[in-house]
């Protein structure tokens, strides 16, 4: 049986080759069986697994990793390039409250910040486009290598991966190495470090089971992990202690948005004070999320700032970043002409996405093509001069995937590509990948919350 490749599927020759490979193994069994039998994977993704992986060619992996390193460096340079060296000014510009800004700038005065992030990208059939860059320790995806290993129990995939010399990167190993590098002064000698994987009391009530899995898996990397919330910490001699163990490092799962809640700040203050005093390592440092804020992408995209970047930096921004603007009354359109933003956005509703800058996980996003004109204009008006950005819609190209029944289907992917420091994770900084896939070409956000399924990714090596 030969699988006919639709003419619009051009990104991944390996993806098409794998679909054809499976045509000769129709009775090989369920490729997702091992994933569905894994307690950790089903806890994270329930039973929503794609029947095959995504594939990255060697050249495109190196290109996108290099571009993401450039974007990361540009984001880190924004306080100096735009705000006269003031991190507080950048925090205010991206919409942080006074309380958030004070805590974040306080944290930034201690320790270091080692690169770690997950870029969410669409591929339009020609190139990747960056939708968001999540720069924080609370990234999820620590099960990526488990998903790869589970999929490799399916014999046809294992044969294909071996034949084409494909590999995958262990995202959790990269996270662990980054944590130890950023908190090097807190790492003890002669014994494994004790790491508290911590979220706020309210958040822990929801995701505590998954954080317990994360903490347990740290043992694979020589780390004693304990999942907890701030109410479980005590501070004899000023150092946090949990379950009778003195904590060396806190792996932070709470986010900057949690620091807007006075109750959460009160419960976290003893921990933040201990980190200020060097009595515990805090990973990642609180200012990480300022750089990964959606508003900072608008700063890179803004025509007013182009003179601040050199030719190579501008080429990277133009290549990777779609038109992104603050929601303000006046702006420039993709051609550089000054326009009334509301009028422009109303006229181009089908090609724009409205995004809050301070939320995560797709919360608050409005896709113009999914709402009627009246709702779109009302949402834009309400967002004007607030912590929101508009971004040009990227239409992900269809990609050939097995359908789990011996045939093929078109899927539209959100690529979650992890980036680490080259000196910590090696090679080009690529720290693994997973994808979320939807069968809906007009989906607003390809996410688990919108009904997507998750898949592993392999790369040429």
């Amino acid at each position: 049986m030969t699988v006919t490749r639709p003419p619009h599927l051009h990104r991944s020759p390996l993806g098409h080759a794998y679909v054809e490979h499976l045509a000769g193994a129709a009775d090989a069994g369920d490729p997702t069986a091992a994933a569905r039998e894994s307690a950790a994977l089903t806890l994270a993704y329930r039973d929503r697994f794609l029947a095959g992986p995504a594939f990255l060619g060697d050249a495109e992996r190196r290109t996108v990793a290099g571009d993401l390193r450039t974007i990361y460096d540009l984001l880190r340079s924004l306080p100096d390039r735009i705000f006269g060296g003031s991190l507080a000014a950048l925090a205010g510009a991206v919409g942080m409250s006074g309380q958030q800004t004070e805590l974040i700038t306080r944290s930034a005065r201690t320790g270091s910040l080692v690169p770690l992030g997950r870029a969410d990208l669409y591929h339009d059939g020609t190139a990747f486009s960056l939708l968001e860059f999540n720069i924080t320790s609370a990234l999820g995806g620590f099960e990526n290598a488990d998903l790869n290993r589970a999929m490799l129990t399916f014999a046809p995939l294992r044969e294909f991966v071996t034949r084409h010399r494909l590999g995958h990167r262990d995202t959790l190993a990269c996270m662990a190495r980054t944590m130890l590098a950023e908190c090097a002064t807190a790492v003890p000698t002669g014994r494994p470090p004790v790491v508290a994987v911590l979220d706020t009391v309210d958040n822990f009530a929801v995701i505590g089971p998954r954080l317990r899995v994360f903490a347990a898996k740290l043992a694979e990397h020589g780390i004693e992990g304990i999942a907890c919330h701030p109410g479980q910490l005590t501070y004899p001699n000023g150092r946090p202690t949990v379950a009778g163990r003195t904590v060396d490092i806190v792996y932070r799962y709470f986010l900057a948005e949690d620091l807007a809640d006075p109750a959460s700040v009160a419960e976290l203050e003893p921990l933040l004070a201990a980190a200020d005093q060097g009595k515990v390592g805090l990973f990642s440092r609180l200012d990480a999320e300022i750089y990964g804020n959606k508003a900072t992408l608008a700063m890179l995209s803004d025509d007013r700032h182009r003179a601040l970047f050199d030719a190579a930096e501008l080429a990277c921004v133009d290549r990777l970043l779609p038109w992104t603007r603050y929601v303000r009354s006046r702006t420039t359109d993709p051609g550089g002409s000054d326009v009334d933003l509301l009028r422009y956005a109303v006229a181009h509703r089908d090609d724009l996405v409205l995004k809050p800058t301070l939320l995560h996980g797709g919360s608050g996003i409005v896709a113009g093509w999914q709402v009627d004109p009246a709702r779109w204009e009302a949402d834009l008006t309400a967002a004007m001069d607030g912590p929101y950005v508009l971004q040009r819609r990227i239409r992900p190209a269809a990609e050939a995937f097995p359908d789990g029944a011996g045939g093929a289907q078109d899927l539209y992917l959100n690529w979650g590509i992890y980036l680490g420091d080259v000196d910590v994770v090696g090679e080009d900084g690529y720290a693994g990948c997973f994808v979320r896939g939807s069968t809906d070409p007009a989906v607003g956000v390809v996410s688990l919350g919108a009904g997507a399924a998750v898949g592993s990714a392999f790369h040429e090596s």
Side-chain angles (χ1 to χ4, degrees), residues 4-18:
T4 302
R5 186 185 192 191
H8 60 289
L9 297 174
H10 298 300
R11 194 206 66 81
S12 177
L14 280 170
H16 176 62
Y18 182 60

Side-chain angles (χ1 to χ4, degrees), residues 241-328:
T241 299
V242 61
R245 305 288 286 140
T246 299
V247 175
D248 299 304
I249 299 170
V250 169
Y251 192 109
R252 176 174 69 86
Y253 250 79
F254 62 89
L255 300 172
E257 66 192 65
D258 295 309
L259 301 179
D261 173 25
S264 293
V265 171
E267 69 188 26
L268 289 167
E269 176 55 36
L271 169 63
L272 300 180
D276 292 344
Q277 297 163 18
K279 294 182 177 180
V280 67
L282 181 65
F283 177 71
S284 58
R285 216 171 59 181
L286 293 180
D287 56 313
E289 282 152 78
I290 292 183
Y291 305 111
N293 187 287
K294 301 177 188 70
T296 57
L297 297 183
M299 294 176 193
L300 296 187
S301 177
D302 196 325
D303 289 330
R304 295 174 301 172
H305 299 146
R306 291 183 70 84
L308 302 176
F309 309 125
D310 64 30
E313 292 167 341
L314 285 174
C316 177
V317 169
D318 292 343
R319 183 167 55 244
L320 194 66
L321 186 60
W323 179 91
T324 307
R325 293 291 186 272
Y326 277 112
V327 181
R328 302 293 184 263

